[in-house]
Structure formats: C-alpha cells, structure tokens
Amino acid sequence: MRRFEKVLLASDMDGTLLNSSRLVSRENREALRWFTEQGGHFCVATGRAVEVTVMYFNDFPVNAPYVCLNGALVYAPDGTLLRHNAMPAETPALLEAAREVYPGIGVEVYVKEKAFILHDHPMTQHHFKILGIEPPRRALSELPPCTEWSKMNLTGEPEKIALVQKRLEEFSGQFSTASAMPIFCEVTAANATKGEAVAQAAQLCGIAPENVFVAGDSANDLSMVRKFYAFAPENSEECVLQAANEVVCDNDHYAVAAMIEALSRRFPE
C-alpha cells in the first residue's frame, strides 16, 4: 500500500495554496504531485465559485471531491456535481435584515455555477475584478427561487459589514455566515460549511475522519479547522492560528509543501 492511500488533504486556495500573486508555486505543485503519486487524496475547499476554481486545476492534481462556495457545492474530480447544499426559503428575510442595517450593501448571488450581481457596490466590483469575471446584474424577480441559490456574498466597508454580521446572528440556526476578508459576509445554508463539505468528500473517498487533514488561513476556514487536524500558514488570521493544530511557513514560502513534509513524518514508509 502506498503511504498516503488512506489520507485526505483539503486546502483553502487564497492565502494558503496560492501565494500573494494568486499563483501556485513550483514547490507546492511538485509536493502535491508527489503526495498524490504516493496515494494521497487531495482537494481544494474554497469560497470561490467553480469557474474561478477549476481554472487552476492544470497547476496541481485534484483527485478527491472538491468544495466550492464555502461548502454549498461539492464536485467530483471530473466536475460532476455531487452535493448542492442550497439556501433555505428564509433567505429573503435575511437579506431584508442585512439591508435594514446597511441599505447600500453589495449583494452577490451564486446559483450553482452562475454568479449574479443583485445589488452593486464598489467592493463588489473590486472583488470580481480580482477574479477576472463580470457577472450579469439581475433584479430579485429575475433570479431563480432562493431555494436554488448556493451562496450570497454581502460586500461593503469593513465597519458596516461587521454591523451586518452582528445583525445576522439571529439567523444562525438556519444560515452559516463567514468572512474571508473584512469586506465580505459570506452566507450559506447552516449545513453548507467547509467543515461539513470536507466531511462529505472524505466519506465519498472512504477516508476515516482521523486521516483527514485541512489547511486554511481565514475565518471562513474555521468550520474545517475546528473539525479536523488543521495546518495554518503563518499569514493566517489570529482566530485560525489559535484554532489550528500546526502552524507552517506563510503562503509565499510554500506552505502546502511544508504541510506535505509534515504529513510524510506522520506517515513514514
């Protein structure tokens, strides 16, 4: 048996697998190739939409179900949709509450593979410019029913987003809110978290929970960081550094390669 056949590594992308230029380093690429050649299962668990996730798949091997939109979508390595943890019927009430606190808030809506702008904001424009996509603008009446939505991303100035997040705490039983950056409040169904989705991926691969390892750097990674043995790059937010089991070098110094080196010590030949 190859040394990593019963091991799953799930990594966040931005700030973890990708460096500050949003590229995959040669060191991380080579380490992941070796890890999978040794039988390891590797996937990404990201808040990104699928379109801006799979564009990187020529840079590293993905041979386990991967997670998009913070856990709303789980895909097989060949791109087949395996799980859609959709938004609940109460989504309009949450959106109304957010707008009561911050009427000018930006609203991005994701319906499986498709992104839409429901309400524009300079931070929304900045976000999609970074991603290199330009989603269409739609009125609420032009969108599918919210029970077909996968995720909402609320955008705005950090101090106002913090107030929105506080207001949305009353919806915690139905929704999960997370933030990759202070300008975001990412909203999914309560069962649509990276932690739950990585657990689904592990189950599909037949990997025991004790052999699941995760890596992330920001608050939207906490659900998986707290659920499994977790690595955190040095550049992580303080909440992740405190919750992780092991801290490695930062994302500009090949953090994922360092994690695989640590796994090689845990699973010697």
Side-chain angles (χ1 to χ4, degrees):
M1 184 176 75
R2 291 175 293 175
R3 66 197 296 180
F4 298 125
E5 280 188 15
K6 299 298 183 180
V7 177
L8 171 67
L9 174 61
S11 176
D12 173 52
M13 291 182 66
D14 298 278
T16 305
L17 174 59
L18 306 184
N19 61 25
S20 296
S21 299
R22 295 185 174 84
L23 298 173
V24 182
S25 69
R26 175 180 57 82
E27 289 82 357
N28 283 347
R29 186 166 57 247
E30 291 178 354
L32 285 168
R33 185 177 299 115
W34 177 77
F35 174 75
T36 53
E37 287 173 352
Q38 293 294 316
H41 301 260
F42 176 72
C43 69
V44 293
T46 179
R48 288 171 172 247
V50 65
E51 176 185 0
V52 289
T53 299
V54 300
M55 61 189 288
Y56 285 92
F57 282 10
N58 289 331
D59 292 335
F60 52 82
V62 172
N63 61 354
Y66 59 93
V67 176
C68 292
L69 298 180
N70 281 350
L73 301 173
V74 181
Y75 290 90
D78 66 2
T80 302
L81 181 61
L82 301 175
R83 297 280 193 278
H84 181 206
N85 302 310
M87 302 278 280
E90 295 79 10
T91 300
L94 179 142
L95 182 56
E96 183 178 350
R99 283 178 159 168
E100 285 175 0
V101 174
Y102 184 11
I105 196 168
V107 182
E108 306 166 12
V109 173
Y110 297 84
V111 184
K112 293 185 180 177
E113 288 84 1
K114 297 181 179 179
F116 303 93
I117 297 174
L118 180 60
H119 192 277
D120 218 339
H121 186 282
M123 297 297 182
T124 304
Q125 291 299 312
H126 174 69
H127 181 211
F128 286 123
K129 183 177 180 180
I130 290 174
L131 295 177
I133 60 174
E134 190 171 350
R137 290 157 179 77
R138 294 287 186 268
L140 186 59
S141 60
E142 297 175 307
L143 291 173
C146 63
T147 50
E148 297 180 25
W149 297 8
S150 307
K151 174 186 170 184
M152 279 197 308
N153 196 29
L154 309 176
T155 60
E157 296 80 3
E159 62 277 10
K160 293 184 178 178
I161 291 298
L163 294 174
V164 169
Q165 289 176 317
K166 183 68 176 176
R167 175 71 171 82
L168 298 186
E169 287 178 0
E170 69 178 76
F171 295 90
S172 60
Q174 300 160 297
F175 296 88
S176 172
T177 59
S179 177
M181 291 190 286
I183 63 169
F184 293 157
C185 177
E186 303 168 70
V187 184
T188 56
N191 68 331
T193 65
K194 289 189 180 185
E196 290 300 318
V198 169
Q200 292 172 355
Q203 186 177 37
L204 289 164
C205 291
I207 305 294
E210 61 268 23
N211 288 335
V212 177
F213 298 85
V214 299
D217 71 298
S218 62
N220 72 340
D221 298 312
L222 281 172
S223 62
M224 65 177 182
V225 167
R226 290 169 173 160
K227 194 176 186 71
F228 301 106
Y229 190 97
F231 296 100
E234 285 181 337
N235 54 282
S236 299
E237 293 179 24
E238 186 61 31
C239 60
V240 177
L241 292 172
Q242 292 295 324
N245 300 92
E246 195 166 338
V247 177
V248 298
C249 55
D250 65 49
N251 68 316
D252 285 326
H253 291 87
Y254 333 125
V256 170
M259 296 169 198
I260 291 171
E261 182 179 352
L263 288 176
S264 72
R265 294 191 293 269
R266 294 178 68 92
F267 297 91
E269 289 185 288

